[in-house]
Amino acid sequence: MTENLGLDYKITLGLLTAFIKDELAKPGFSRLIVGLSGGLDSAVVAYLSVKAIGNENVVAAIMPYKSSNLENIKDAHELVAALGIKKYEVDITPQVDSYFERFPDANRDRRGNKMARERMSILYDLSAKERALVIGTSNKSEILLGYGTIFGDLACAINPIGDLYKTQVRILAHHLGVPEKIIAKPPSADLFEGQTDEGDYGFSYQDVDGLLYLLVDERYSPAQCEKAGYDRAMINKVIDMIVINQFKRSTPLIAKLSSRTVGLDFRYPRDWGK
Amino acid sequence: MKIAIAQIKSVLGSLEQNLMRHYDYIDKALESKADLVVFPELSLTGYTLKDLTSEVAVRLDDTRLSSLIARSREIDIVVGLVEESNEFLFFNTALYLSGGKIVHAHRKVYLPTYGMFEEGRHFATGNSLDTFETKFGRSGMLICEDQWHSVCPLILTLKGALLIIGIANGAARGIQNADGLASAGTWERMNTFYAINHSLYLAFVNRVGVEDGVVFWGGSEIVDPFGNRVIKGSYNNEELLFGEIDPGSVRRSRVTSPLLRDERIDFCLREFQQIWSAGGADGEVV
């Protein structure tokens, strides 16, 4: 049920190129840095970045952990070579392991979140070193379902694919010439061995993207989604995930005390003066 | 008459920088011997103003506008800005400048306040639509959402417009179909329909550039009274376009389809009156 999830490649590329160029130049930057995992989303963002501003202005950071899938790391290096972009490889194992020596009983979620935040802190450090803005790689499916670590992989300055469902990112990848083996691999956060997005969700992107499109873009009620062929239990689960994870899509709450509070009634555009 | 369309980006919240950009485009339009140069909605301020609205507002007698208005001795100019009234209300206003004077100020009548739009939070609504004389003949201006309310082009037509200048900040939305940008398609159909339906020229001037992640798609155009495109701007790129318009085409189209002659204001008024008496659009279906 993803018939509504196509995309016009030429139009999309035109808009995303304009977005990347303008929103990069406004804060005074000319270069981008992307965390490359060997997966689809970061590959698409790397290809888009190169198309928009040229390979000499794009930097990749490959940040494996000791349990990372070796195939992904190899693919990330191949992407760097294919695109001809500068790269850093930073193994996050020492910093993650040294921290968890103090908390040896930490569960999988804590470890996964920590890895995501270590990668974020490395990206932002390299951003300062390279004078390159951090470009994000979270897609609309993940952002709506809350499948990301707050202040971790969700952190970035600009995100060109945050309004594209995973299904659309895949279509875009074909047009951009992303290697087939990257498009074909099962989506995974690769935070522990054998992890897949679809295993964590309990449903496929193909199914959930169609449902998200109806709920969010077309404003269908749950009953209308059910009529359109979706299972009620899945509809309820997806709505719960969207609601529970709203905090990941918001800036921190500020207690209102004055007559003019940042974010509430002190409202300026981010591109203020640019 | 030769129209120049300045399909520009604006600097968000900087009147001074935008004025400099306007002067550059005015110079280029003059070099090409255009009679009129048209800038997009809020061209002197940018669109996503939020709390900047009151800070970038100008009274129409503000000296910062003097040089711009003076340039209209050389070429007619349409610009968009935030106008501050004597009552300290703020309007999304389009100015038609000619002969060193403000010939007409149109205050946006329909302020979109839904979804991604919040103009009603910041602007006061205009309450009139008027036409004015230009070198081409009587003309009128609409600002973006005005054009989505079909009574606006109708009113201007009944007030004698042969040319409608529609200035916009159209945001790009809807990429999921293979047949182009959804928001552009809607605008383009509207422009063509109004030009044919009211037998006049429609000059649609949309900005480009990006503000807070929103891309403005450009694609400015002039459509003649038969629905043909006189010129078409590219999507997303800054450019200066030129198109010739000819009152003779309006005459020929109105001879062929005398729809204006057959318009019945008495009938419209009676129907509107009846709807109004019954509680308007909020009331019962009549």
Side-chain angles (χ1 to χ4, degrees), chain A residues 20-87:
Chain A
I20 291 170
K21 282 174 129 165
D22 274 35
E23 298 292 22
L24 177 64
K26 285 183 183 204
F29 284 80
S30 57
R31 308 175 75 213
L32 288 165
I33 182 162
V34 57
L36 216 53
S37 67
L40 179 68
D41 297 322
S42 59
V44 164
V45 170
Y47 271 73
L48 282 172
S49 302
V50 167
K51 274 210 185 285
I53 58 168
N55 61 357
E56 69 278 16
N57 292 313
V58 181
V59 181
I62 303 171
M63 298 170 284
Y65 181 67
K66 65 187 176 194
S67 71
S68 294
N69 183 335
L70 293 173
E71 208 51 42
N72 286 342
I73 300 160
K74 196 169 138 264
D75 290 344
H77 283 285
E78 280 177 25
L79 278 176
V80 163
L83 290 170
I85 56 181
K86 182 175 179 177
K87 75 168 177 204

Side-chain angles (χ1 to χ4, degrees), chain B:
Chain B
M1 185 188 199
K2 186 172 182 179
I3 300 184
I5 289 181
Q7 182 174 293
I8 62 162
K9 298 176 180 179
S10 293
V11 181
L12 187 53
S14 174
L15 193 66
E16 288 70 24
Q17 288 183 68
N18 288 318
L19 275 167
M20 298 314 287
R21 286 189 186 191
H22 281 59
Y23 297 143
D24 286 347
Y25 276 85
I26 289 167
D27 288 342
K28 285 182 201 147
L30 271 169
E31 277 168 30
S32 297
K33 302 200 170 6
D35 301 293
L36 164 66
V37 57
V38 185
F39 292 89
E41 175 185 16
L42 293 172
S43 60
L44 287 169
T45 63
Y47 182 74
T48 318
L49 292 166
K50 299 178 185 275
D51 282 6
L52 286 167
T53 307
S54 60
E55 297 169 30
V56 300
V58 285
R59 291 171 50 96
L60 296 186
D61 59 3
D62 193 300
T63 52
R64 286 173 295 175
L65 297 179
S66 308
S67 302
L68 182 71
I69 295 170
R71 293 302 303 270
S72 73
R73 289 195 194 96
E74 303 159 81
I75 183 172
D76 289 5
I77 305 166
V78 172
V79 296
L81 47 67
V82 182
E83 177 199 351
E84 180 166 338
S85 73
N86 292 333
E87 301 80 21
F88 310 116
L89 301 179
F90 306 101
F91 295 92
N92 181 339
T93 294
L95 299 182
Y96 193 100
L97 311 174
S98 181
K101 288 186 306 220
I102 298 173
V103 171
H104 185 69
H106 167 60
R107 294 169 167 178
K108 192 172 185 175
V109 176
Y110 290 99
L111 301 172
T113 309
Y114 54 82
M116 61 181 285
F117 307 108
E118 47 188 43
E119 288 182 39
R121 273 182 67 97
H122 306 292
F123 291 110
T125 54
N127 280 311
S128 65
L129 269 178
D130 275 305
T131 55
F132 46 90
E133 277 310 318
T134 70
K135 286 170 199 163
F136 177 74
R138 264 199 115 63
S139 304
M141 298 189 291
L142 296 175
I143 306 176
C144 210
E145 190 86 352
D146 289 339
Q147 223 182 300
W148 288 71
H149 291 260
S150 57
V151 293
C152 292
L154 176 64
I155 290 168
L156 289 180
T157 306
L158 293 174
K159 288 192 170 185
L162 309 183
L163 165 67
I164 292 177
I165 300 163
I167 64 173
N169 278 184
R173 290 184 290 167
I175 49 91
Q176 72 270 25
N177 299 316
D179 57 352
L181 183 65
S183 49
T186 309
W187 269 107
E188 286 158 1
R189 285 193 290 275
M190 262 194 321
N191 294 338
T192 307
F193 171 75
Y194 287 140
I196 296 172
N197 191 237
H198 298 309
S199 300
L200 42 67
Y201 278 96
L202 198 146
F204 168 74
V205 181
N206 188 26
R207 67 164 287 182
V208 291
V210 187
E211 287 178 3
D212 279 15
V214 175
V215 182
F216 299 94
W217 54 273
S220 303
E221 60 186 6
I222 297 177
V223 185
D224 79 10
F226 300 96
N228 304 306
R229 275 189 183 145
V230 178
I231 44 163
K232 179 69 183 170
S234 68
Y235 289 166
N236 308 331
N237 299 314
E238 261 190 313
E239 58 190 13
L240 186 63
L241 303 154
F242 298 94
E244 287 280 351
I245 61 172
D246 169 21
S249 289
V250 179
R251 183 178 189 276
R252 284 193 297 115
S253 75
R254 290 186 179 185
V255 170
T256 311
S257 313
L259 295 168
L260 175 61
R261 183 197 67 193
D262 298 341
E263 195 52 76
R264 292 184 50 198
I265 301 174
D266 57 332
F267 160 75
C268 295
L269 256 181
R270 242 187 357 261
E271 290 292 333
F272 278 133
Q273 195 59 52
Q274 191 195 339
I275 295 163
W276 180 251
S277 314
D282 299 331
E284 307 279 311
V285 176
V286 287

